[in-house]
Structures are given as structure tokens and as C-alpha cells.
Amino acid sequence: MRKHFIAAVVCLMALLTAVPAFAAPVTLQHNNSSLVIDPNGQPEGMFNWQVDSKDHLYQQWWWYRIGNGPELSISTLQLVSSVVSDNRLLIQNYSAQDFDLEVTWLLTGGAPNSGFSMVKEGATITNKSNSPLYISLYEYSDFDILGTAYDDRGTRVNPNKVQQIEFPVLVEESVTQTPTHWQMDSPGNILALLNDNDQDDLADQYAIYGPGDIAWAFQWDFVINPGKSAGVSKDKSISAVIPEWNSLLLAAIGMVGTIGIRRRCR
């Protein structure tokens, strides 16, 4: 009887130690940067991206849609593992009946007071059913540069790149897989599409937006055969630089000033 009791206790302890603490938010740190990832947070997802102690991110997260079903946050999936390496890499694995989803974040901070930081992010879907999987993946971003929300400007530079600026800070996102649909808009309008239980595609609108409170989202539509995988990867960066258009503006102002000086000299 005592042996059975000890065996039961050992099994229980093994189960308890094998279950990761999913509910707790994860904080990644590297050099001058830190960020928080919490699937159960308010807001859910990645937020509080601090670079040299200045917060630039309100929310970034993933949604998905199966076939003609509603869009759902990946927080509705079962989180089966969450592993942090070197305080800067997080790998989370989610599971559903017909597919598995792996999401990764790698934070790379810059030197102190450089204003630079980067996150490499990826999402991979694996079809574990016996039929083709029709699935859409959505990635949503709401940056509040320098902690303010109403004076940013956004530009869809090309089908794979978005920029957002509040002088002198530039946020840039580049994706390796061209999205099927995209949208730059107010946060409320995009979140309404992602949370309304309808079968909505992003609207492919507003390549230039602002000044104001800006968000953007990308949508990828996949057909994944049984046993196969598909996904996306992207880079997000924050840099304290003067963007190209500001450099040109300053150069133009300098030229005007030089012309004025020459005229006065004559």
C-alpha cells in the first residue's frame, strides 16, 4: 500500500513539474530593450516594447480563421508549451484539433542610448488532419511611438513593408511572404474586423494614414495539405533615426539657406 502511495505521489509531482506556467506573462530582455508577451493579457499578445526605457508598443498579436469560419485570436487555442532561451527568445506552441501552430519571437536590442531594437518573429502552421486545411493567418500591430497615440504617420512602402513614424523614431515591419490582404487604419476599425465573428478579409486600404492613432494588419491565406506546413516570418525594428524624407527636407532647407546667403553676398 505504501509503495502505491509513494508511486502516486511521484507521478503527481512529475505532472506538476512538467506543466509550464502558461498564465504568467513572459518578459524578454536584450541590451537596451525589453518586451512583454502575454496571451492572456489585457491587451493580449506582445506589448510594452521598451527601447532605452521608452515604450513604443501598445499591442501586437495573431488571429486565425478556418475556412469560412470567424476570425479568432490564437489565445483561444490550447497553449501546450512556452520556452524561453537566453532571456531573449520565446517559442510558444499551440494546438487545435486539425493543426498545430508555433510562434517565435527573438529580441535583439542595440547599444545603450542607440534607440535601436529589433524583433524577428515567425508563425508556422502544420496540418495534422487527413484533409487540406484552408486557413487564414492575421498579424495585427498597434504602435504608440514614444508612448503617445495620436500623432503618428503610417505608410505602406510596398506590399511587404510598412513604416510608422513619430519624429525622430521610425518603426518598420518587413515580411518575407507577400500578404493576401492588408489594411492600415485606426485600431478600432481593424479590431472590429478581427473580433466580430464574421468572415471578413482585410480591406486593402489606406496606404498612407495619419497623423493619428495608427494600426495595421496583414492577412495570409493558405491551403495546407495533410502533414505539410506553411507560415510567415517578419522583422520589426525601432530606430531613432532621421528618415529619408526628413533628410531630403533638411537638405532642401539647407540649399534654400545657401542660395539666400549667396544672393545677399552679391
Side-chain angles (χ1 to χ4, degrees):
M1 183 70 178
R2 186 170 178 271
K3 290 182 179 180
H4 291 303
F5 174 75
I6 293 174
V9 171
V10 171
C11 290
L12 178 60
M13 291 179 64
L15 286 173
L16 290 175
T17 55
V19 177
F22 296 142
V26 175
T27 299
L28 301 182
Q29 295 179 321
H30 186 251
N31 293 341
N32 67 337
S33 305
S34 66
L35 60 85
V36 179
I37 299 168
D38 184 3
N40 302 312
Q42 297 294 327
E44 61 189 332
M46 185 173 91
F47 56 93
N48 197 22
W49 187 354
Q50 295 205 18
V51 183
D52 293 315
S53 301
K54 296 177 182 177
D55 182 17
H56 300 289
L57 178 63
Y58 181 75
Q59 183 185 19
Q60 186 273 313
W61 200 228
W62 298 88
W63 275 253
Y64 72 97
R65 182 180 73 195
I66 303 296
N68 293 321
E71 297 84 15
L72 297 169
S73 165
I74 67 169
S75 298
T76 61
L77 301 171
Q78 180 186 5
L79 180 58
V80 295
S81 67
S82 183
V83 179
V84 178
S85 300
D86 298 327
N87 292 322
R88 58 185 292 233
L89 171 64
L90 173 63
I91 301 175
Q92 291 189 334
N93 285 281
Y94 295 82
S95 182
Q97 180 177 348
D98 293 331
F99 69 93
D100 291 329
L101 170 66
E102 180 182 88
V103 187
T104 63
W105 297 264
L106 176 63
L107 174 66
T108 300
N113 300 315
S114 66
F116 177 80
S117 185
M118 174 180 286
V119 174
K120 288 184 176 292
E121 193 171 0
T124 303
I125 304 165
T126 300
N127 181 3
K128 58 184 183 181
S129 73
N130 296 320
S131 303
L133 176 67
Y134 295 82
I135 187 169
S136 298
L137 189 64
Y138 302 81
E139 184 260 343
Y140 168 81
S141 297
D142 178 7
F143 280 86
D144 293 343
I145 298 176
L146 297 172
T148 60
Y150 298 105
D151 47 4
D152 294 2
R153 299 174 185 270
T155 304
R156 181 177 180 252
V157 179
N158 59 50
N160 292 51
K161 181 184 290 188
V162 168
Q163 292 180 340
Q164 181 175 334
I165 183 172
E166 178 182 338
F167 185 80
V169 177
L170 174 70
V171 171
E172 184 172 272
E173 178 174 25
S174 298
V175 299
T176 56
Q177 293 81 3
T178 301
T180 311
H181 298 287
W182 60 276
Q183 186 168 341
M184 182 175 290
D185 211 325
S186 70
N189 287 344
I190 297 179
L191 287 175
L193 290 174
L194 296 175
N195 295 316
D196 61 2
N197 293 321
D198 290 336
Q199 300 80 39
D200 294 320
D201 290 327
L202 297 178
D204 301 326
Q205 66 182 13
Y206 303 133
I208 298 176
Y209 194 89
D213 190 3
I214 298 171
W216 72 79
F218 292 129
Q219 173 185 340
W220 296 268
D221 297 335
F222 298 109
V223 180
I224 307 175
N225 290 323
K228 300 299 183 179
S229 300
V232 301
S233 58
K234 55 193 179 66
D235 294 338
K236 276 188 170 76
S237 65
I238 297 173
S239 53
V241 298
I242 299 177
E244 183 178 357
W245 65 270
N246 272 308
S247 298
L248 294 174
L249 177 61
L250 291 174
I253 293 173
M255 290 177 63
V256 171
T258 302
I259 292 171
I261 292 172
R262 289 177 177 173
R263 285 178 176 175
R264 284 196 296 270
C265 289
R266 290 176 182 176

